[in-house]
Amino acid sequence: MWLGPEEVLVANALWVTERANPFFVLQRRRGHGKGGGLTGLLVGTLDVVLDSSARVAPYRILHQTQDSQVYWTVACGSSRKEITKHWEWLESNLLQTLSIFDSEEDITTFVKGKIHGIIAEENKNLQPQGDEDPGKFKEAELKMRKQFGMPEGEKLVNYYSCSFWKGRVPRQGWLYLTVNHLCFYSFLLGKEVSLVVQWVDVTRLEKNATLLFPESIRVDTRDQELFFSMFLNIGETFKLMEQLANLAMRQLLDSEGFLEDKALPRPIRPHKNISALKRDLDARAKNECYRATFRLPKDERLDGHTGCTLWTPFNKLHIPGQMFISNNYICFASKEEDACRLIIPLREVTIVEKADSSSVLPSPLSISTKSKMTFLFANLKDRDFLVQRISDFLQKTPSRQLGGNAGGTKASVSDPAPESLPASQEAPEPPTSPSSPLRSPPSFSTQEVPTTSQGLLKVFQKNSPIEDLGAKGAKEKMKEESWSIHFFEYGRGMCMYRTAKTRELVLKGIPESLRGELWLLFSGAWNEMVTHPGYYAELVEKSMGKYSLATEEIERDLHRSMPEHPAFQNELGIAALRRVLTAYAFRNPTIGYCQAMNIVTSVLLLYGSEEEAFWLLVALCERMLPDYYNTRVVGALVDQGIFEELTRDILPRLSEKMQELGVISSISLSWFLTLFLSVMPFESAVVIVDCFFYEGIKVILQVALAVLDANMDQLLDCSDEGEAMTVLGRYLDNVVNKQSISPPIPHLHALLTSGDDPPAEVDIFDLLKVSYEKFSSLRADDIEQMRFKQRLKVIQSLEDTAKRSVVRAIPGDIGFSIEELEDLYMVFKAKHLASQYWGGSRSAAIHRDPSLPYLEQYRIDASQFRELFASLTPWACGSHTPVLAGRMFRLLDQNKDSLINFKEFVTGMSGMYHGDLTEKLKALYKLHLPPALIPEEAESALEATHYFTEDSPSEEALPQEQQEGSGNEDIQERRGAIH
């Protein structure tokens, strides 16, 4: 390629001159090609270690004049053919012209101008390549593809200089992280190391420090352990590796590969050293963290964040923290974890105002909402740009409910006295919240059913005054009063200030009258409900009368959902539960219905209307408990692994005993999947659900650890699993809620664990208090880190189970050993996955569907089979191989869907490898008949058959010796083809 002339001071240091004339020199890099010697080895090593090979092509052309000591690069090439073409052009087009000039300066100026002209002409003819990364990164990507034989479809995300430990020797080289692979290349003094690992094969990924490997990254597969160290930025490298491995696990889980996020804003000038994929991955990670922190819908995208302070009227302080802006929300999180958290939906905003800066309050920004709340931010960097972004998002915000001030939203400048702002503490009007009469009336035919407007508890409980309930009623009244004061001081609804005080109130128990409202707020379900009016009603209408496997399972489980509760002992509650579960299965067919969803949903229906219960279920299944409710309950197994790890770290004595008894796997699934609702009295478990909606999975893990800790002595004395399960079952049955104003509901589980000497009662609030005192060191980001590590183990374990199941499904007379079948399965699976990586236009049918039986999950098409046939089978023979492969594929594809599964593949392979001579001849014979032949081939074969039968003598007419000779020759010919 032609290069813009750059000055070269030393022309021959690492280069060998191959051609020269009075104006140009063609050089080859030492160490490239044969005969490099020790100097060549040193240059090759230097290029790899310093990554100059990503920038330095092995050939170049320099311009020079006789009296000048300065050289100018004008072209480079990756091959001798490419550089020779440039050299010949220069000799034929410039040499004669340059000899006319008298001044060497004029010669150089002319050469520079000519080369710049050629480059400009080439660039003009080039089509724009979208957001492709220029410069050093692009060159590194081309080098990666060439070095490791990757196709165009494999995108490089980033690359890093590091050392790979081979034995006790570190080998300095370059680590390339692509969308689907981890690659490493090193060349040191003639010794080459080249590694390629698929992310889907990674079973363990962790950052650790040992005496042998200082601050290294460990990457395990089923076959090897790899250690990489000496990174300039090990944190960034490990984070990116985690993201890519996570994407690969997601692909194994539901076939979703990595796609560039087209909704993200593209930079005006692409970074030379950062790929668009790296930028997308970083943005995705920030988006996921943002959505998880503030419980926002899955499609919410973070636009940016900035440091600021927030005036908190409840304690009259300016709290430092971060403001986050996205397309539908303004959020704030304090630096101190529990100090304050705030969520302001843009649909609630009426006014955004800038105030004049002062030394006390620099760059203030005031945001007012429909509920008459005003939020004052200050110390904002680039406030004008921020206000413009908020204004842009406000313009795009859909017309907000209650009309009102939607048209009056503005971004204006005013100058309120900062001292006057705390006056916003005056009693605000009730803000838009779940208790506000905003719901659009349901449109489905059952709109007159009570559950469309209120929870089942309100329908089935007699409305006796709280005062008649004695001490319990007084306690409930006190709770309601506490929350009323809290709403007055901190706001009510989505824009409430969430502080440590809020958590304290939740831990003391949410009053029955507010439970549904606060669940909707804390889970974020309220946001989705108000932005999707009528969605649930449409789903109910669409799903009515539709039958599927999910609806069958729902019908089977309806009467097992809290059968002890009066709300589900009649058709009203059962029908409401049926509608919610069926609507969700219709919304999310990848989950459909999973056991335990019925128990959780029945509790949601007690405290909210059908629509509210539906959106709470969406929040639960899709955000708060990811991957819990699918056919393989992967999410619950992941959190079970976390629970085991925490038990090992925090309760080491008990952990060993629990592993010995095999109890943890039995208990944790039922505890986590149903949020303790199936193992604890209802009125106690619902308090844990209160905390769960506020704190997330952290609470479930804390309570589980507290239960084990409370029963440690008894569990250590247990001799088998049954005894341990009985100890835990009896303990949980006796966790009571003495403050509950609901009539006690008999707990069916208690009937199985009752005994002559029941254990002492445990108050649920005491249990929660202990769980927070002893185990509250758990942090949300730590749990996410542990989830990643466990997800690798769980999904790879499930993949191993799938492999064993598939191998067991192969008949015993197939001829291959178990080990051979497992190896063939891995090759077959890798070919399927490669089609998903780089398949492009290939049939969408080859994508894996985890809901299918194991044998049908991985399938390949004809082109993939042709590649395996050529590399694995003994019948591959030159130019005839593609024809034979195509015929064999059509023969194996019995259902004619243009795909074959592993069993069909192994059947074909077995016939070629393990069949006797007769079977091989039969297989060859079948390859010359339909369905192996395509219609055109079949027609030609038929014509040939007619020709031979009509024009040649019959076999009976031939002499006996000729018949025998013909047969023997045919057999010999076919035997040669086979072997």
Side-chain angles (χ1 to χ4, degrees):
M1 62 184 288
W2 297 107
L3 301 173
E6 291 183 5
E7 190 175 322
V8 177
L9 294 176
V10 183
N12 299 309
L14 302 174
W15 297 84
V16 179
T17 300
E18 295 201 334
R19 293 190 190 185
N21 61 43
F23 302 106
F24 298 102
V25 177
L26 188 154
Q27 296 185 324
R28 172 177 54 83
R29 185 81 165 168
R30 290 183 188 274
H32 184 81
K34 296 181 180 179
L38 180 60
T39 309
L41 287 179
L42 288 170
V43 173
T45 300
L46 192 65
D47 283 347
V48 169
V49 171
L50 300 179
D51 193 34
S52 54
S53 55
R55 303 188 296 278
V56 181
Y59 297 95
R60 72 180 181 181
I61 297 174
L62 303 180
H63 164 65
Q64 49 93 41
T65 53
Q66 290 181 350
D67 297 332
S68 173
Q69 298 300 312
V70 178
Y71 291 78
W72 301 85
T73 57
V74 294
C76 70
S78 58
S79 66
R80 188 178 294 277
K81 182 179 177 182
E82 181 186 0
I83 206 69
T84 302
K85 183 180 174 184
H86 288 352
W87 178 262
E88 290 172 351
W89 188 92
L90 290 170
E91 285 194 323
S92 60
N93 290 281
L94 289 190
L95 279 187
Q96 194 170 359
T97 307
L98 295 178
S99 61
I100 299 171
F101 288 96
D102 296 327
S103 165
E104 292 192 353
E105 286 184 14
D106 292 344
I107 292 173
T108 300
T109 303
F110 180 80
V111 169
K112 286 182 180 180
K114 195 68 178 173
I115 299 300
H116 280 304
I118 295 171
I119 293 170
E121 192 63 31
E122 284 182 348
N123 290 341
K124 189 165 55 176
N125 296 329
L126 282 175
Q127 294 296 322
Q129 297 296 314
D131 195 27
E132 291 208 350
D133 307 293
K136 181 181 174 184
F137 185 88
K138 194 65 184 172
E139 291 169 1
E141 185 171 46
L142 293 172
K143 177 191 172 188
M144 176 274 297
R145 291 207 186 111
K146 182 179 177 184
Q147 188 70 55
F148 302 102
M150 297 289 179
E152 281 288 324
E154 186 66 2
K155 300 288 187 184
L156 178 66
V157 181
N158 214 353
Y159 66 112
Y160 301 93
S161 171
C162 70
S163 291
F164 165 62
W165 291 80
K166 194 169 184 182
R168 293 176 178 268
V169 181
R171 294 194 170 272
Q172 186 68 27
W174 288 85
L175 183 72
Y176 297 88
L177 305 181
T178 75
V179 172
N180 303 298
H181 297 85
L182 176 154
C183 309
F184 177 83
Y185 180 76
S186 171
F187 179 86
L188 290 175
L189 301 179
K191 292 188 177 180
E192 190 176 49
V193 175
S194 184
L195 291 172
V196 178
V197 176
Q198 289 191 79
W199 290 117
V200 291
D201 291 334
V202 173
T203 57
R204 182 176 179 181
L205 180 63
E206 61 185 25
K207 186 167 60 172
N208 55 16
T210 63
L211 291 173
L212 186 59
F213 304 115
E215 202 178 25
S216 61
I217 294 175
R218 175 177 177 173
V219 182
D220 287 6
T221 65
R222 290 174 178 82
D223 308 318
Q224 54 188 338
E225 296 177 1
L226 309 173
F227 290 88
F228 301 94
S229 67
M230 299 184 192
F231 292 91
L232 289 175
N233 189 344
I234 193 169
E236 179 193 324
T237 311
F238 183 70
K239 182 181 175 184
L240 182 56
M241 292 169 82
E242 269 191 334
Q243 288 175 304
L244 292 168
N246 227 346
L247 283 169
M249 294 306 105
R250 173 62 54 192
Q251 192 176 32
L252 288 176
L253 200 58
D254 55 20
S255 290
E256 285 184 8
F258 175 74
L259 295 172
E260 288 187 67
D261 195 337
K262 305 300 180 189
L264 290 172
R266 296 297 187 210
I268 298 169
R269 294 182 180 176
H271 295 286
K272 287 194 172 186
N273 301 329
I274 298 177
S275 70
L277 297 183
K278 173 76 165 63
R279 184 178 55 81
D280 274 8
L281 282 168
D282 289 344
R284 283 181 179 217
K286 288 179 182 176
N287 279 332
E288 286 170 9
C289 182
Y290 170 63
R291 290 193 294 259
T293 302
F294 298 103
R295 306 271 169 81
L296 300 177
K298 282 169 50 172
D299 57 353
E300 195 65 21
R301 285 183 173 83
L302 178 65
D303 187 70
H305 60 91
T306 183
C308 68
T309 59
L310 171 67
W311 169 260
T312 48
F314 51 86
N315 58 6
K316 296 181 174 56
L317 290 174
H318 289 282
I319 297 180
Q322 291 271 329
M323 176 196 276
F324 301 85
I325 307 288
S326 60
N327 39 335
N328 294 298
Y329 298 88
I330 299 170
C331 299
F332 174 85
S334 57
K335 282 186 179 178
E336 190 182 337
E337 190 175 1
D338 290 331
C340 184
R341 191 166 288 175
L342 181 65
I343 302 166
I344 309 172
L346 290 182
R347 63 178 182 270
E348 298 295 319
V349 174
T350 55
I351 301 174
V352 178
E353 292 181 315
K354 292 187 289 186
D356 287 340
S357 296
S358 68
S359 57
V360 180
L361 207 62
S363 301
L365 178 67
S366 170
I367 298 175
S368 301
T369 66
K370 294 176 187 175
S371 55
K372 303 296 188 292
M373 292 183 76
T374 300
F375 303 97
L376 180 65
F377 298 92
N379 293 282
L380 288 160
K381 294 178 184 176
D382 207 354
R383 181 181 58 166
D384 292 341
F385 176 75
L386 186 67
V387 170
Q388 185 58 51
R389 290 303 292 164
I390 296 172
S391 181
D392 291 344
F393 285 132
L394 281 169
Q395 295 299 324
K396 297 174 186 174
T397 303
S399 180
R400 281 155 290 199
Q401 297 184 358
L402 291 182
N405 296 316
T409 301
K410 58 181 178 179
S412 60
V413 179
S414 64
D415 189 14
E419 293 79 9
S420 68
L421 284 162
S424 62
Q425 283 190 52
E426 294 175 16
E429 293 179 48
T432 305
S433 73
S435 58
S436 302
L438 286 183
R439 301 185 191 97
S440 54
S443 58
F444 55 93
S445 57
T446 54
Q447 58 181 320
E448 67 279 0
V449 173
T451 52
T452 59
S453 60
Q454 57 186 336
L456 285 167
L457 274 185
K458 291 182 181 175
V459 177
F460 283 91
Q461 279 188 356
K462 295 175 182 177
N463 294 323
S464 55
I466 287 184
E467 290 77 11
D468 296 349
L469 296 173
K472 286 185 177 180
K475 185 72 175 175
E476 187 76 1
K477 191 74 175 170
M478 284 173 61
K479 286 183 185 178
E480 290 179 357
E481 285 295 326
S482 297
W483 278 98
S484 294
I485 295 168
H486 187 77
F487 292 149
F488 178 80
E489 292 182 352
Y490 296 84
R492 185 169 187 172
M494 211 66 225
C495 300
M496 177 199 303
Y497 293 99
R498 302 169 196 218
T499 67
K501 178 71 174 173
T502 316
R503 176 195 281 168
E504 284 176 27
L505 283 177
V506 172
L507 283 173
K508 290 176 181 175
I510 297 175
E512 297 271 313
S513 58
L514 294 173
R515 188 163 269 144
E517 172 186 341
L518 293 175
W519 284 2
L520 285 166
L521 288 179
F522 295 149
S523 66
W526 176 246
N527 282 323
E528 293 195 276
M529 190 170 83
V530 297
T531 51
H532 296 84
Y535 176 76
Y536 171 69
E538 288 172 20
L539 277 182
V540 171
E541 283 185 351
K542 287 178 183 176
S543 60
M544 274 183 178
K546 301 282 175 66
Y547 293 97
S548 64
L549 180 62
T551 57
E552 287 179 22
E553 291 175 343
I554 288 168
E555 287 299 324
R556 193 166 57 240
D557 282 354
L558 282 176
H559 295 277
R560 304 175 189 168
S561 309
M562 296 189 69
E564 66 275 18
H565 198 288
F568 297 98
Q569 292 169 0
N570 63 82
E571 187 52 32
L572 180 64
I574 295 292
L577 183 59
R578 179 188 291 114
R579 283 191 291 273
V580 174
L581 290 173
T582 307
Y584 186 77
F586 201 77
R587 165 192 164 87
N588 193 343
T590 55
I591 290 179
Y593 171 76
C594 173
Q595 282 190 332
M597 282 171 71
N598 60 320
I599 295 171
V600 174
T601 308
S602 61
V603 174
L604 302 178
L605 275 168
L606 290 175
Y607 294 99
S609 67
E610 286 183 35
E611 186 178 15
E612 291 169 345
F614 170 80
W615 286 112
L616 281 167
L617 185 62
V618 169
L620 207 66
C621 296
E622 297 175 15
R623 294 200 311 274
M624 299 189 72
L625 296 176
D627 303 321
Y628 261 59
Y629 301 102
N630 55 34
T631 50
R632 299 189 285 179
V633 292
V634 171
L637 291 172
V638 167
D639 285 349
Q640 175 184 301
I642 293 176
F643 183 46
E644 289 185 26
E645 189 177 337
L646 290 172
T647 307
R648 201 161 44 245
D649 294 341
I650 300 171
L651 306 171
R653 273 181 61 215
L654 186 57
S655 172
E656 193 175 330
K657 183 69 175 182
M658 297 292 275
Q659 291 293 335
E660 181 189 321
L661 297 175
V663 173
I664 285 186
S665 58
S666 303
I667 59 174
S668 53
L669 271 183
S670 60
W671 292 4
F672 296 161
L673 274 170
T674 66
L675 306 176
F676 286 96
L677 288 162
S678 64
V679 294
M680 203 181 273
F682 165 73
E683 58 272 12
S684 302
V686 82
V687 178
I688 294 178
V689 178
D690 291 342
C691 300
F692 168 76
F693 277 123
Y694 188 77
E695 293 267 52
I697 192 63
K698 168 185 171 179
V699 172
I700 306 298
L701 292 167
Q702 284 179 192
V703 171
L705 288 169
V707 170
L708 292 188
D709 186 48
N711 291 278
M712 184 182 293
D713 294 338
Q714 287 177 276
L715 289 170
L716 289 172
D717 292 336
C718 290
S719 56
D720 57 38
E721 181 185 2
E723 191 178 346
M725 294 295 288
T726 302
V727 167
L728 292 170
R730 294 183 71 186
Y731 177 86
L732 291 169
D733 286 337
N734 286 274
V735 176
V736 297
N737 180 2
K738 296 176 180 176
Q739 300 177 14
S740 174
I741 59 169
S742 301
I745 300 164
H747 185 41
L748 294 184
H749 191 256
L751 302 176
L752 306 174
T753 59
S754 59
D756 298 332
D757 185 21
E761 290 182 340
V762 179
D763 190 275
I764 182 62
F765 296 103
D766 291 341
L767 178 61
L768 278 171
K769 185 180 177 184
V770 168
S771 77
Y772 271 87
E773 286 174 351
K774 287 192 173 183
F775 310 111
S776 62
S777 58
L778 281 174
R779 292 170 54 87
D781 49 354
D782 294 335
I783 291 173
E784 284 307 310
Q785 186 71 33
M786 294 166 80
R787 273 180 166 171
F788 162 73
K789 196 162 80 172
Q790 293 298 329
R791 195 177 292 118
L792 282 178
K793 290 182 184 177
V794 168
I795 293 180
Q796 296 295 11
S797 173
L798 290 171
E799 287 295 300
D800 289 342
T801 302
K803 178 175 71 176
R804 288 192 294 270
S805 300
V806 169
V807 167
R808 278 200 299 269
I810 306 300
D813 59 353
I814 207 75
F816 291 109
S817 68
I818 297 293
E819 291 76 16
E820 288 172 331
L821 283 173
E822 288 183 349
D823 290 342
L824 280 173
Y825 176 81
M826 296 307 290
V827 171
F828 186 85
K829 173 182 167 183
K831 185 59 67 177
H832 169 95
L833 290 173
S835 73
Q836 290 187 230
Y837 300 159
W838 314 308
S841 60
R842 281 178 173 167
S843 167
I846 59 176
H847 280 284
R848 183 192 184 199
D849 181 358
S851 64
L852 292 172
Y854 286 134
L855 197 56
E856 296 295 321
Q857 286 183 14
Y858 293 118
R859 295 179 292 170
I860 60 173
D861 61 16
S863 61
Q864 294 167 289
F865 177 79
R866 196 178 302 121
E867 293 165 10
L868 288 178
F869 186 93
S871 58
L872 292 177
T873 65
W875 289 4
C877 47
S879 59
H880 298 293
T881 301
V883 177
L884 273 177
R887 292 184 179 184
M888 179 63 78
F889 181 84
R890 289 189 288 274
L891 189 65
L892 296 175
D893 182 21
Q894 296 179 359
N895 61 358
K896 307 302 174 201
D897 64 350
S898 299
L899 297 167
I900 62 170
N901 62 27
F902 181 67
K903 186 176 181 181
E904 292 165 336
F905 172 71
V906 169
T907 302
M909 294 288 291
S910 176
M912 287 181 273
Y913 270 102
H914 297 292
D916 57 26
L917 186 58
T918 307
E919 288 170 344
K920 290 177 181 177
L921 285 172
K922 281 181 182 176
L924 271 176
Y925 181 70
K926 286 179 183 177
L927 293 180
H928 294 78
L929 297 173
L933 299 183
I934 58 176
E936 293 80 8
E937 291 175 334
E939 193 175 333
S940 301
L942 190 62
E943 289 174 3
T945 305
H946 283 305
Y947 172 80
F948 281 114
T949 53
E950 290 174 8
D951 298 340
S952 59
S954 65
E955 191 174 320
E956 288 82 1
L958 292 171
Q960 182 69 25
E961 301 88 341
Q962 201 168 338
Q963 288 183 41
E964 291 172 4
S966 172
N968 289 334
E969 285 167 13
D970 186 54
I971 290 172
Q972 291 297 327
E973 185 177 310
R974 287 172 184 258
R975 184 177 294 171
I978 295 166
H979 294 291

